């Protein structure tokens, strides 16, 4: 049992200045270890109250404390159950690299490098920082392509990097065997540090800014009252506080579950091994570059004249599934047999190491999340409860930047960059199952170094949420992808196709499903298709009086005071005018509304509405996602199918666009039929109570036979919406994009009675002009068969200068070209953002950089294919009427 | 090593048939084919294998024909079966983790049978190994019937009542057993109606005998079920059946024989009922991690002093010499207890009467007609089992049930060691640790790859029973699996296989020490 007074150490802030400038500062620099903090500090009782309590004294927790303190916060308490940096931080390999899959992650890593570099100066604590640079090796052309794509993305961020030849690798790192390499990416800015020392330095710097650090203090649970954090219960008493930050790393999940109000922190630990060698006969230089050989699944860095090398094996060992009591993180067992593939990969990469002696095999558990991205932000439903955990073994790279973003988030209510892909609200309780996490992280860990091609999907933890039509669609050849646990059909394989080849096709070029999706798109354009879109998030907002309308008028930029039955596309904006959600709202009756949002908005949108909802018992919000199956009937013949099934005329004269009616379809009554699609094609959405789903689907399919009906999937939908220039929230739109920037001013009603959220910001922007603009780029000179396909994150050049990034792309079967959607954000010569005008856009020559190759493109502000479609439809109508009159 | 010496080693001390007809009868046989199911006579055996051994060394065909490792594996794995007790919420709440079973035929068709089932109306699992002789009919009947008899004997009065009422009113029955069967373990359809009516008669009698609120004693239930089934087999053969096929079938069951070893495990209570010379051995893990064997059954054969005494005591002194001859019952039968084998149970008159009224096929069956010599005071044979009760302890890790084909090739201590090391798996392979030694990366890589190769070859068997068979058949004198030898043993032609090895049937039940220590 621990807990004796002598073992309880506190770092009194008053002591720190002395440490830093007194003679002991030198001693600290010499030893530079965490131990120093503990031995020289005095024991002290916990304060009774604080503003922020941070749980976790690893690199992440100290970084949050440091950045909060920098932003001027006082009364920050950091609690650590053992010693500072005794968890994953102590063991991690100490590589800080910007080679990350997401731009925002690269940005965080870039900031971390800058932070760690200046820490030594700031605190006089030696951090072991060496800017070694790193080499990402490619053993095959596909890997090289992915590195080239990474290189173009990093260029957008202003990070220097070069794609180099194998012989340059040999020059930079003489130990490397280059015979099986086709190239590499050199990142000169990447660095190595000594993680415990960086941790220590951050702690020292935080303490210097007034952060109170208590070691050997465990958080038992967090007290939540009325949806707000009020106190933290520790094994040494409780601390009242306004904010709590869960940086408990491996234990963040358990800590989240420990309170009365459960917080879902979906992460799971895996054992991770790396090898330390003794110094080589000719010691490895301190500054020799970090090697990342993803095809060999290993990384290496120089370590005290020897080598440190670890990897991400194919068969990871998940750990702590049942909680922490099984094993202590400090005495994890080495497992040489498990390490064998990585050792072989290392010796293949550096044959010279064969005669080098082993120092140790280190087992350092890391925590992983269900989608390989970290967990950041305020938890849904509990104000003041923040989380920063689940670093997927990039904790050191992310800690600096993530700590900064989180500190900003706590301070201003939002971070200074869009971090939606990392926002903890992308997950809900449904990802909290231990079994799910255990299975998923076993896939995630190897995936870190796996080659990721466009539109890859997770294979584990599937079939969690499905539509009632799942089996029917599956039997008809549906291939599935997953979004927020929901299975959605990608496309339908026609009978007789080689299924196996199709499932295994992994390419950066034209995929095997090209013709299949083409046929589905054609059917959507010319006949009618059914797309099961049940995954959408669906809320119902009702009230006794007009509270519901008032709330929506406040939240939505568009005017919701419309006649009953109307559908309104609207954004829910934040104070800055950025999209928190992009949804369609149906006015079902005077005081009830049906809100349709993207699938992954289920948690985020709920908490956004709840946050702004007055606590009025007469105002009621309900998540009805599970109650309705959504079928999208898309195409010119959709109205024929529906009118035949309902004996009601569905022509635009009788059923105008953006209108909703409850009607019967087949035998089933009470189907919400909406004249809208999410692609801009003519058609209807049917919201069907789930018990009728199979019936309605069967009826639609059998009646649709004569109109040439078929199933379609999300790939067809994507192609259709992108060629129509429809932006999707989460892919194109985020909380930093305003309607003005994406050409949706027509959905903002400045003159409606209610002062909606974001109105002021938009008014200001309307006067000042926008500094970034959403455009559609049609690729010219791009050979669909032979050239690398665009995906997202490709740099856009205007007149040869970098001007923006793409956010999504698809092949348009109508235009027979690739269409990329993206943002242009030009800068003035002094680097400040410049205003974008239509004229500016129309007068440029554009290029899109795909994996280092630039393709000319035409930029458009408005879609032009809708015109074609309408003309075509009219022509078809005429043909049909001719046919009928005969 | 010379091929001959290997083969000699195999053959030494091995018998060629469960029922051996002594020399005296052989003279009788000169006019008729041998009454044994295997049509060859012992002395001709001798000649034949000697001849084969010569051929073995000289014939090029024998020299060159080897099975590749994948071929060996496909033979060994053809009958393997594994069952894991389903986990609930990531935890296994049963005292049994699961079991592995496998069979390797030597006879064609194989005469061994196996069964495994979960009792659904009571708790507990049943495992059984049945070694048939003089055909597989009796062993087959046992796999299909014995567990039902046991399960029914274990039912309390109330459940029996429900069962009877359900049958009476034509309602669907709650299943009594959940079988865990390999696809090759077939059940015959034809006799099921007959079997069911016998079973029903049995439970009706149990109903009369049992008292509401009383739990049947497991040991008594096992004995009762064994004896009852043997009785039913005997009765069915005497009564016959209007259906000619069924009639022939019940006679084949009755005239063939089988030994049985059945384990019933419920929580920490392990009961073994044994009739004959199959064996149940418990693998006990010592504090130092090694395994030792605890035999839970006594073989009912001439090697067992008390069995000798029992058999002799049941017959007049005048028969003292003839009742066990050449370590065989009446000079013929190896096991001293068995199901079926009515030739050793019925009076001569009864045998004659049944055979005469039986279908024609029987008349051609010389074995059935043959009356054992010195057959004066039947019955000479019983199916009454010896029941052993064992309270499972945390150190009891697994139970091996095997037919004698296993036990005569491997010592029980060896069996337990092989299974124990296999079940504890790679972990038992001492983990590599650098410690303070100077080890280079190259050396380590060499070591690890060697270990990996070793694991993928020997530890390639997922199934512990398969692994044991591999050792039983392929062990060389160093206790290591010798692929060449394994390949030779498995490629023996059908008619020769029985001379070098017997049918092997193994069930290995793995216990869950966490649950056992918790109870």
């Amino acid at each position: 049992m621990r807990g004796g007074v002598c073992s309880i150490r506190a770092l009194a802030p008053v002591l720190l200045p002395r440490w830093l400038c007194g003679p002991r500062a030198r001693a600290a620099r010499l030893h530079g270890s965490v131990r120093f903090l503990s031995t020289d500090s005095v024991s002290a009782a916990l304060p009774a109250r604080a503003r922020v309590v941070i749980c976790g004294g690893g690199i992440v927790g100290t970084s949050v404390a440091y950045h909060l303190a920098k932003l001027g916060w006082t009364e920050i308490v950091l609690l650590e159950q053992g010693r500072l940096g005794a968890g994953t931080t102590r063991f991690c390999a100490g590589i800080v690299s910007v080679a990350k899959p997401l731009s925002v992650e690269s940005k965080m890593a870039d900031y971390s490098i800058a932070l760690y570099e200046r820490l030594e100066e700031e605190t006089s604590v030696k951090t072991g920082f060496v800017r070694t640079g790193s080499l990402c090796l490619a053993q095959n052309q596909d890997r090289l392509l992915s590195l080239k794509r990474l290189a173009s993305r990093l260029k957008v961020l202003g990070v220097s990097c070069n794609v180099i030849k194998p012989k340059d690798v040999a020059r930079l790192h003489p130990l490397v065997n280059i015979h099986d390499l086709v190239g590499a990416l050199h990142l000169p800015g990447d660095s190595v540090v000594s993680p415990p020392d960086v941790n220590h330095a951050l702690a020292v710097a935080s303490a210097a800014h007034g952060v109170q650090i208590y070691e050997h203090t465990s958080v038992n649970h967090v007290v939540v009252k009325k949806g707000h954090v009020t106190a933290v219960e520790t094994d040494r008493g409780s601390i009242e506080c306004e904010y709590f930050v869960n940086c408990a790393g491996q234990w963040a999940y358990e800590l989240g579950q420990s309170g009365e109000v459960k917080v879902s922190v979906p992460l799971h630990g895996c054992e991770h091994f790396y090898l330390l060698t003794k110094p080589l006969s000719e010691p490895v230089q301190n500054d020799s570059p970090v090697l990342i050989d993803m095809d060999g699944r290993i990384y290496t860095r120089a370590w005290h004249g020897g080598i440190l090398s670890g990897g991400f094996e194919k068969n990871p060992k998940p750990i702590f599934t049942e909680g922490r009591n099984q094993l202590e993180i400090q005495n994890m067992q080495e497992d040489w047999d498990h390490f064998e593939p990585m050792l072989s990969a290392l010796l293949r990469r550096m044959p010279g190491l064969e005669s080098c002696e082993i120092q140790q095999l280190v087992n350092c558990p890391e925590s992983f999340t269900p989608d390989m991205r970290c967990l950041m932000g305020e938890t849904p439903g509990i104000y003041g409860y923040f989380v920063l955990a689940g670093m997927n073994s990039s904790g050191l790279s992310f800690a600096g930047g993530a700590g900064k973003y989180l500190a900003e988030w706590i301070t201003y209510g939002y971070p200074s960059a869009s971090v939606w892909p990392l926002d903890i609200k992308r997950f809900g309780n449904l990802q909290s199952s231990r079994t799910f996490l255990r299975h998923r992280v076993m896939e995630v860990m190897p995936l870190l170094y796996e080659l990721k091609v466009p539109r890859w999907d997770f294979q584990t933890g599937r079939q969690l949420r499905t539509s009632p039509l799942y089996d029917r669609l599956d039997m008809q050849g549906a291939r599935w992808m997953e979004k927020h646990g929901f299975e959605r059909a990608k496309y339908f394989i026609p009978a007789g196709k080689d299924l196996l080849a199709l499932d295994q096709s992994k390419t950066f070029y034209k995929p095997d499903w090209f013709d299949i999706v083409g046929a589905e798109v054609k059917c959507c354009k010319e006949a009618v298709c059914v797309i099961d879109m049940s995954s959408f998030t669906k809320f119902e907002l009702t009230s006794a009086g007009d509270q519901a309308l008032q709330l929506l008028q406040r939240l939505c930029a568009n005017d919701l005071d419309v006649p009953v039955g109307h559908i309104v596309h609207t954004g829910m904006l934040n104070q800055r005018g950025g999209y928190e959600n992009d949804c369609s709202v149906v006015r079902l009756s005077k005081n009830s509304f049906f809100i349709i949002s993207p699938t992954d908005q289920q948690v985020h949108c709920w908490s956004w509405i709840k946050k702004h909802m007055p606590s009025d018992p007469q105002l009621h919000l309900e998540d009805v996602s599970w109650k309705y199956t959504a079928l999208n009937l898309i195409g010119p013949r959709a109205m024929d199918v529906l009118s035949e099934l309902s004996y009601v005329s569905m022509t635009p004269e009788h059923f105008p666009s953006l209108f909703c009616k409850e009607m019967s379809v087949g035998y089933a009554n009470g189907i919400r039929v909406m004249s809208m699609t999410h692609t801009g094609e003519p058609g209807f959405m049917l919201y069907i109570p789930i018990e009728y789903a199979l019936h309605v689907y069967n009826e639609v399919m059998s009646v649709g036979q004569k109109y040439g009906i078929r199933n379609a999937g999300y790939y067809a939908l994507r192609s259709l919406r992108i060629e129509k220039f429809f932006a999707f929230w989460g892919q194109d739109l985020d909380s930093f994009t305003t309607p003005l920037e994406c050409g949706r001013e027509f959905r903002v009603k400045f003159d409606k009675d209610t002062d909606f959220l974001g109105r002021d910001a938009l008014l200001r922007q309307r006067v000042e002009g926008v500094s970034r603009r959403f455009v559609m780029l049609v690729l010219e000179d791009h050979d669909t068969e032979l050239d690398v396909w665009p995906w997202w994150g490709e740099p856009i050049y205007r007149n040869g200068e970098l001007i923006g990034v793409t956010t999504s792309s698809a092949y348009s079967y109508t235009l027979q070209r690739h269409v990329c959607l993206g943002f242009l954000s030009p800068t003035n010569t002094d680097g400040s953002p410049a205003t974008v005008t239509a004229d500016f856009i129309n007068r440029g020559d554009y290029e899109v950089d795909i994996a280092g190759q630039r393709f000319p493109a035409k930029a458009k502000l408005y879609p032009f294919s809708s015109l074609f479609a309408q003309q075509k439809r009219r022509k078809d109508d005429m043909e049909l009427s001719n046919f009928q009159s005969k | 090593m010379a091929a001959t010496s290997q083969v000699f080693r195999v053959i030494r001390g091995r018998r060629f048939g469960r029922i051996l007809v002594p020399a005296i009868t052989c003279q009788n046989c000169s006019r008729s084919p041998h009454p044994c199911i295997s049509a060859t006579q012992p002395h001709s055996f001798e000649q034949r294998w000697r001849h084969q051994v010569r051929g073995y060394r000289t014939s090029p065909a024998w020299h060159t024909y080897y099975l590749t490792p994948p071929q060996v594996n496909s033979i060994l794995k053809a009958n393997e079966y594994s069952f894991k007790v389903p986990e609930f919420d990531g935890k296994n709440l049963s005292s049994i983790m699961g079991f592995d079973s496998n069979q390797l035929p030597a006879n064609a068709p194989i005469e061994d049978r196996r069964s495994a089932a979960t009792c659904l109306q009571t708790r507990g699992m049943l495992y059984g190994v049945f070694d048939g002789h003089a055909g597989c009919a009796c062993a087959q009947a046992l796999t299909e019937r014995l567990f039902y008899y046991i399960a029914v004997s274990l039912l309390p009065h109330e459940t029996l009542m429900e069962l009877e009422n359900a049958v009476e009113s034509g309602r669907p029955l709650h299943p009594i057993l959940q079988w865990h069967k390999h696809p090759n373990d077939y059940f015959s359809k034809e006799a099921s109606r007959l079997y069911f009516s016998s079973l029903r008669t049995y439970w009706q009698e149990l109903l009369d005998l049992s008292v509401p609120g009383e739990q049947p004693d497991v040991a008594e239930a096992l004995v009762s079920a064994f004896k009852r089934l043997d009785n039913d087999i005997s009765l069915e053969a005497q009564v016959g059946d209007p259906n000619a096929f069924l009639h022939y079938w019940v006679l084949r069951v009755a005239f063939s024989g089988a030994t049985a070893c059945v384990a019933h495990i419920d929580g920490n209570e392990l009961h073994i009922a044994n009739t004959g010379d199959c064996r149940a051995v418990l693998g006990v893990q010592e504090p130092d991690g090694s395994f030792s064997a605890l035999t839970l059954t006594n073989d009912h054969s001439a090697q067992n002093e008390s069995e000798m005494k029992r058999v002799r005591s049941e017959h007049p002194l005048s028969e003292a010499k003839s009742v066990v001859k050449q370590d065989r019952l009446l000079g013929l039968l190896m096991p001293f207890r068995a199901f079926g084998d009515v030739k050793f149970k019925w009076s001569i008159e009864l045998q004659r009467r049944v055979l005469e009224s039986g279908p024609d096929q029987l008349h051609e069956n010389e074995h059935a007609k043959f009356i054992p010599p010195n057959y004066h005071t039947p019955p000479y044979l019983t199916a009454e089992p010896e029941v052993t009760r064992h309270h499972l302890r945390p150190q009891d890790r697994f139970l091996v049930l095997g037919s004698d084909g296993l036990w005569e090739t491997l010592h029980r201590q060896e069996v337990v060691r092989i299974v124990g090391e296999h079940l504890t798996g790679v972990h038992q392979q001492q983990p590599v640790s650098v410690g303070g030694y100077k080890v280079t990366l190259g050396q380590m890589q060499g070591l690890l790859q060697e270990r990996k190769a070793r694991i993928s070859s020997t530890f390639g068997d997922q199934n512990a029973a398969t692994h044991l068979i591999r050792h039983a058949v392929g062990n060389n004198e160093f206790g290591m699996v010798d692929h060449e030898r394994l390949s030779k043993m498995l490629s023996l032609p059908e008619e020769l296989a029985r001379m070098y090895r017997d049918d092997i049937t193994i069930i290995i039940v793995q216990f869950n020490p966490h649950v056992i220590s918790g109870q």
Side-chain angles (χ1 to χ4, degrees), chain A residues 434-540:
Chain A
R434 272 329 251 175
T435 318
F436 165 77
L437 288 171
R438 185 181 166 93
H439 289 185
R440 178 55 73 78
V441 298
M442 285 173 75
E443 180 183 3
V444 161
M445 183 169 158
L447 205 58
L448 287 176
Y449 276 5
E450 203 93 51
L451 185 71
K452 286 176 278 292
V453 298
R455 284 164 276 277
W456 57 274
D457 294 309
F458 287 106
Q459 302 300 313
T460 52
R462 294 289 295 268
Q463 293 181 338
L464 179 57
R465 301 165 75 206
T466 55
S467 146
L469 302 175
Y470 179 85
D471 278 351
R472 286 297 308 274
L473 301 180
D474 197 53
M475 271 172 24
Q476 296 176 69
R479 286 289 167 269
W480 301 91
M481 61 193 254
E482 170 245 20
K483 185 95 179 179
H484 199 58
F486 210 105
E487 296 291 329
R488 313 199 293 189
K490 296 190 283 194
Y491 47 81
F492 288 79
I493 296 183
K497 272 268 177 186
D498 183 357
L499 307 181
L500 201 66
L502 212 60
D503 284 344
Q504 288 173 346
S505 133
K506 280 188 166 183
T507 177
F508 287 96
Y509 296 88
K510 184 181 141 184
D512 290 356
W513 44 258
F514 182 79
D515 294 327
I516 296 174
V517 174
E520 287 175 9
V521 167
K522 191 166 167 354
C523 188
C524 289
K525 295 259 179 197
E526 294 173 2
V528 54
C529 278
V530 185
I531 306 182
D532 183 346
M533 298 177 69
S534 308
S535 69
F536 277 168
T537 300
K538 303 169 272 279
F539 294 153
E540 262 175 19

Side-chain angles (χ1 to χ4, degrees), chain B residues 66-82:
Chain B
Y66 287 125
L67 299 170
T68 61
Q71 283 172 317
V72 165
N73 282 346
S74 75
I75 293 175
L76 289 179
K77 292 178 181 211
N79 291 317
E80 74 176 14
Y81 180 83
S82 277

Side-chain angles (χ1 to χ4, degrees), chain A residues 29-87:
Chain A
R29 217 177 301 149
L30 282 175
H31 297 113
S33 74
V34 183
R35 184 170 290 267
F36 176 68
L37 272 170
S38 312
T39 45
D40 259 21
S41 55
V42 293
S43 58
L46 291 182
R49 54 161 291 112
R51 290 201 67 199
V52 188
V53 173
I54 299 166
C55 172
I59 186 98
V60 174
T62 49
S63 170
V64 172
Y66 171 84
H67 286 98
L68 277 174
K70 284 261 171 176
L71 284 170
W73 286 71
T74 53
E75 295 181 69
I76 303 167
V77 171
L78 189 148
L79 306 176
E80 162 59 45
Q81 58 164 342
R83 285 255 175 83
L84 282 183

Side-chain angles (χ1 to χ4, degrees), chain A residues 53-325:
Chain A
V53 173
I54 299 166
C55 172
I59 186 98
V60 174
T62 49
S63 170
V64 172
Y66 171 84
H67 286 98
L68 277 174
K70 284 261 171 176
L71 284 170
W73 286 71
T74 53
E75 295 181 69
I76 303 167
V77 171
L78 189 148
L79 306 176
E80 162 59 45
Q81 58 164 342
R83 285 255 175 83
L84 282 183
T88 305
T89 301
R90 190 173 116 201
F91 295 106
C92 84
I95 298 169
V96 196
S97 169
V98 294
K100 299 294 167 200
L102 288 179
S103 289
V104 65
E105 292 174 332
S106 300
K107 228 192 249 177
M108 294 194 309
D110 194 37
Y111 172 84
S112 300
I113 294 174
L115 171 70
Y116 302 157
E117 186 171 27
R118 67 165 194 262
L119 260 185
E120 191 161 329
E121 199 179 322
E122 194 176 322
T123 62
S124 311
V125 175
K126 273 227 183 293
T127 58
F129 181 92
V130 185
R131 200 179 279 273
T132 58
S134 77
L135 292 164
C136 299
L137 309 180
Q139 290 185 24
N140 53 56
Q141 292 298 337
D142 271 349
R143 176 69 69 187
L144 191 59
L145 248 177
S146 77
L147 291 178
K148 283 177 178 168
R149 292 185 55 92
L150 175 65
S152 9
R153 264 198 309 106
L154 289 176
K155 269 180 200 149
V156 177
L157 299 178
V159 176
S160 74
C161 59
N162 319 293
V163 175
I164 58 173
K165 294 199 164 54
K167 63 176 194 294
D168 301 321
V169 175
R171 206 167 33 74
L172 286 162
H173 203 313
L175 279 170
V176 175
N177 163 26
I178 58 165
H179 296 299
D180 55 352
L181 298 182
V182 295
L185 178 68
H186 182 221
L187 298 156
D190 283 359
S191 312
V192 298
V193 293
S194 158
D197 294 341
V198 171
N199 195 166
H200 175 62
L202 281 171
V204 168
S206 315
H209 285 92
V211 175
Q212 306 165 52
I213 299 172
Y214 297 90
E215 294 186 300
H216 298 294
T217 309
S218 309
V219 173
N220 291 337
H221 65 266
V222 178
V223 184
V224 176
K225 281 191 186 130
K226 290 183 188 153
H228 287 264
V229 170
T230 56
V232 175
E233 287 291 342
T234 74
D235 56 351
R236 297 176 51 212
S238 75
I239 307 174
E240 277 179 44
C241 63
E242 296 164 50
Y243 297 95
F244 175 73
V245 190
N246 181 345
C247 300
Q250 300 274 355
W251 321 121
Y253 175 92
E254 274 184 288
L255 181 56
Q257 296 293 314
S258 67
E260 219 168 284
V261 184
K262 304 252 183 299
V263 174
S264 165
V265 186
L267 56 80
H268 194 291
C270 273
E271 292 180 44
H272 171 60
F273 297 91
Y274 64 81
L275 167 79
L276 299 175
T277 73
K278 296 200 170 129
L280 269 61
S281 50
E282 194 180 321
V284 181
Q285 291 301 309
N286 239 354
D287 58 351
S288 63
V290 169
L291 276 189
I292 300 175
D293 180 3
M294 299 205 202
D295 299 305
R297 302 188 162 278
I298 53 158
Y299 60 81
T300 70
R301 61 164 281 196
W303 191 78
H304 297 297
I307 285 284
L308 179 161
S309 173
F312 296 99
E313 62 275 23
K314 277 189 184 151
N315 54 337
K317 294 164 79 174
I319 191 172
F320 304 130
T321 308
E322 286 166 50
R324 65 200 304 176
N325 50 358

